[in-house]
Structures are given as structure tokens and as C-alpha cells.
Amino acid sequence: QWDKRVEVPSFVVPEHWPLLGCMDYGEAAPTAFYLATQDYDGNTYFITEYYRDNATASQHAYEINKLIDGCPFTPADIFRESGLYLTRGANERVAGWRVINDALSKERMYCFAGWCDNLVRTMPSIPRDRKNPEDIDTHSDDHAADAIRYMMMHIYKASRPPTAKSR
């Protein structure tokens, strides 16, 4: 369940935390790109976003590089000067929504307040698919949700509930 607890004040990301990017690509439809990090406890933080429609691949790449270089929460010297390296995301839709729901229910997924406006705007209101209630309506504004789903499918590890022995 998406709620205001997901939005946290921004902070400077420690240099030793990994920086990751995820993207749902579009040219006429919006491209949604998120810069994220993960702490050692497995909590994921979406740091900032790029969200734009009606642009070419080269325009998106240029703007995303500018965004990363200008992000005040990350040390700029860790990025290569030329380009972003992308890996195809896992596209298991239902499993991805389950991963996001697990992370939200365990309070292990956050976004920087004021820096991921489209994510905050669209996530709470995405309708379910009428034919498959385990999925969302792919005709809705799902670009931000798809981008973070790709990321979470790649990095999220579900935590186990405490056992009687560890309590």
C-alpha cells in the first residue's frame, strides 16, 4: 500500500552505497527514469526522476546524464563521463507488483520527498486490470510504476519474518 510514509526527507547518499538506474522507455509516451540506491539493510531509496514524453532516445540520454551529473545527493565522480549502461529489466508483471507490495508492507521502499513527483502522483491511483486483478491496467499512466518494478525485481530480497528462536 502506497502512502505518505514512503516519502522521506532527502539525504546525501553515502559513497559506498550502490547507485542504480531504472527506466521505462517511451518516445511518444513518457520515458520514466529513476536514480536509486540501496542501503546495507536492503532498503531501497528512489532519489530523483526524469519523466518526459515526445523525445528521442538521444534526447532522453542527454537529459538523464544531465540529471545524474547535477544530482545533489550523489558524488558525480562515480559516473562515467560518456553514457549510461543499461540492462534489460525483468518484466514479470504480477511478480513485480508483489515484490513492490512486499517492500511497501515491510517499509523497505522509499522515495525522496519532492524529487520523485510523478512516482508520488501516479502510484496511489493506478487502477487494477479488469481481466487480471493481480496486475495493473497497462493503459493507465504506469510508466513510473513500471520503471521501479524493473528495479525492484532486480535488487529486492524479501526479508523473512523473525523465527521463534530469533525473537
Side-chain angles (χ1 to χ4, degrees):
Q1 183 71 6
W2 186 274
D3 62 36
K4 285 291 191 185
R5 290 177 295 167
V6 173
E7 296 177 59
V8 297
S10 59
F11 55 87
V12 175
V13 175
E15 259 186 73
H16 53 277
W17 287 9
L19 293 172
L20 310 157
C22 57
M23 179 173 65
D24 183 50
Y25 180 75
E27 290 188 4
T31 286
F33 172 86
Y34 288 87
L35 184 64
T37 190
Q38 193 171 53
D39 66 19
Y40 291 122
D41 294 325
N43 297 308
T44 302
Y45 298 86
F46 291 92
I47 300 167
T48 191
E49 73 179 359
Y50 166 83
Y51 194 90
R52 181 177 171 195
D53 60 1
N54 296 313
T56 66
S58 58
Q59 289 170 315
H60 290 312
Y62 174 78
E63 293 296 329
I64 291 168
N65 271 318
K66 245 176 47 176
L67 172 86
I68 291 170
D69 287 341
C71 183
F73 307 114
T74 61
D77 63 335
I78 66 169
F79 291 99
R80 293 186 187 262
E81 213 168 297
S82 60
L84 302 169
Y85 299 92
L86 304 176
T87 303
R88 181 172 299 279
N91 198 27
E92 294 89 11
R93 297 182 58 82
V94 172
W97 305 131
R98 289 177 178 157
V99 164
I100 288 173
N101 287 333
D102 188 70
L104 289 170
S105 71
K106 293 178 179 168
E107 297 183 18
R108 296 189 58 214
M109 189 179 94
Y110 305 94
C111 69
F112 281 11
W115 289 86
C116 300
D117 295 337
N118 289 291
L119 183 61
V120 171
R121 174 182 61 82
T122 58
M123 279 298 287
S125 61
I126 295 175
R128 295 278 179 187
D129 186 289
R130 290 182 192 184
K131 294 178 182 164
N132 180 1
E134 298 296 318
D135 200 356
I136 64 168
D137 182 353
T138 60
H139 299 293
S140 65
D141 188 355
D142 65 346
H143 309 290
D146 279 344
I148 70 166
R149 178 174 54 84
Y150 302 144
M151 169 78 67
M152 295 302 288
M153 284 292 289
H154 182 71
I155 65 171
Y156 185 71
K157 306 289 184 252
S159 61
R160 295 174 188 237
T163 61
K165 193 184 273 187
S166 65
R167 287 185 195 163

